[in-house]
Amino acid sequence: LEETLETIADAAGTEVTAVPASEDALAAGDLAPDDFVLYREYPHLLDTCALADLGWESTPVDEAMARTVAEHRESDRDGSEWDPGRDAEERVLGVKDTL
């Protein structure tokens, strides 16, 4: 996840600091890992062989992320429907500091 966040930040021309939180800390803040759109259980495997057989070619990650960031900035979407919100994150950070 941290690598993905850094890739997004690079494409967006900004810096981020990943703050890890255990499942216990998330639960105490009334959240679960899958409340975060980028969360995937690991190991995570995506087989694209069938797509390749159809002629699909993957786009390099950095290029795909740059396109995604540009499209996002041009849209009126803010991603809030996929975000647990800053209040929830602050609850987790408060709980994490007491654990």
Side-chain angles (χ1 to χ4, degrees):
L1 182 58
E2 189 169 347
E3 185 177 316
T4 300
L5 292 174
E6 288 173 4
T7 301
I8 295 168
D10 288 346
T14 190
E15 293 184 20
V16 296
T17 301
V19 179
S22 67
E23 284 194 45
D24 291 343
L26 290 174
D30 201 27
L31 290 171
D34 60 3
D35 288 330
F36 298 88
V37 69
L38 295 177
Y39 175 77
R40 297 288 180 270
E41 288 188 32
Y42 288 94
H44 179 76
L45 178 65
L46 177 64
D47 184 356
T48 58
C49 291
L51 292 172
D53 289 344
L54 295 172
W56 175 80
E57 294 181 23
S58 66
T59 302
V61 172
D62 291 341
E63 181 183 336
M65 194 59 68
R67 288 182 192 175
T68 300
V69 167
E71 194 280 330
H72 173 76
R73 287 180 168 161
E74 292 169 4
S75 75
D76 61 351
R77 298 182 316 263
D78 65 3
S80 59
E81 68 273 21
W82 306 107
D83 182 358
R86 290 289 183 209
D87 292 343
E89 292 172 7
E90 293 295 330
R91 282 195 317 270
V92 170
L93 290 174
V95 168
K96 185 176 175 247
D97 292 338
T98 63
L99 293 178

